[in-house]
Amino acid sequence: MSSRRAPKPTGRTPIPWRNRAVVAVLAGAVLFGPGVAQATPQTAPASAAREQVAAAASITWTLERAANPTEDQRTAYDLITRAMNAAVARYNNLSDLGKTITVRYDPGVPTADGNLNGTIRFGNRGYMNERTALHEIAHTIGVGTSSGWSRLGGSGTWTGGQATALVRQFDGGSAKLSTGGGHFWPYGLNYDNEFSNTAADRHVQIVAAMVRDGL
């Protein structure tokens, strides 16, 4: 979502961790039964496949699809798939975070939203992009939605040591992570004008550091 809002009152669920290397960028969507699409890795050359035989993505996602989608739904599914594939690939390349995410297209959602239970809803076409997908994945991991967020970010400034040290590495010794309405900044990717490849990479790294802090 683009505007800052209060965290959703949900319980904290354990996040599975896997210390495994990550394969190449996720691409495309493949049907796994009626109405469900899931991101899959690109086919790698035989030599690369041999070198990375044990590699696997630790964040996975599925898109709930209508059995007989309308043109509107098909267009939305394509946009959402591209956005989620890019965002999940970035998370898996830069972190060892784990989450199983279910994505829905819901035209009644004004922007997009993410929940600790692992669901993301996209509504408005203008938010079906990588920036929004990264932001909403962070909500499924606990940003603005977990008890750890309330404990470490409830004062208006993130108090966890690892994420604080990281933002100071990025922006200088006086830098801090501000929190409010279930969001953080800088690098929270709360608005489209905050997005760049550097900011997106730092977003993922900060979320991973927040998890290490106890998010």
Side-chain angles (χ1 to χ4, degrees), residues 32-36 65 67:
F32 278 73
V36 180
R65 299 172 61 99

Side-chain angles (χ1 to χ4, degrees), residues 62-64 77 80 102-106 119-123:
T62 58
L63 173 63
E64 291 188 352
Y77 295 159
I80 291 168
T102 300
V103 182
R104 302 185 179 102
Y105 169 47
D106 184 346
T119 60
I120 293 175
R121 301 184 302 168
F122 289 89

Side-chain angles (χ1 to χ4, degrees), residues 10-210:
T10 62
R12 179 75 169 112
T13 54
I15 298 173
W17 287 75
R18 300 188 186 94
N19 293 318
R20 296 183 291 179
V22 178
V23 290
V25 177
L26 298 175
V30 59
L31 291 181
F32 278 73
V36 180
Q38 183 165 2
T40 56
Q42 289 179 326
T43 302
S47 59
R50 284 195 298 270
E51 292 171 0
Q52 299 180 351
V53 65
S58 52
I59 291 180
T60 61
W61 71 280
T62 58
L63 173 63
E64 291 188 352
R65 299 172 61 99
N68 296 293
T70 64
E71 182 63 30
D72 172 72
Q73 288 171 324
R74 285 194 295 269
T75 300
Y77 295 159
D78 288 345
L79 291 170
I80 291 168
T81 296
R82 286 195 291 271
M84 286 297 299
N85 278 342
V88 168
R90 197 181 295 266
Y91 265 100
N92 286 336
N93 284 331
L94 295 172
S95 78
D96 59 359
L97 296 174
K99 194 74 180 184
T100 300
I101 297 171
T102 300
V103 182
R104 302 185 179 102
Y105 169 47
D106 184 346
V109 175
T111 56
D113 58 36
N115 193 287
L116 187 62
N117 66 14
T119 60
I120 293 175
R121 301 184 302 168
F122 289 89
N124 190 306
R125 291 279 197 279
Y127 295 87
M128 295 176 184
N129 55 37
E130 183 186 358
R131 192 279 305 172
T132 303
L134 288 165
H135 178 95
E136 301 307 338
I137 289 171
H139 285 314
T140 72
I141 291 169
V143 170
T145 58
S146 70
S147 58
W149 171 266
S150 298
R151 178 171 52 86
L152 294 166
S155 67
T157 300
W158 183 260
T159 59
Q162 295 207 35
T164 299
L166 189 58
V167 77
R168 288 177 178 172
Q169 176 185 320
F170 294 150
D171 294 342
S174 63
K176 67 177 183 177
L177 288 169
S178 297
T179 59
H183 300 85
F184 70 89
W185 60 94
Y187 308 117
L189 302 183
N190 303 300
Y191 301 96
D192 281 344
N193 62 10
E194 296 177 32
F195 183 85
S196 68
N197 279 321
T198 296
D201 286 352
R202 291 179 177 183
H203 170 85
V204 171
Q205 292 169 307
I206 286 172
V207 172
M210 285 179 165

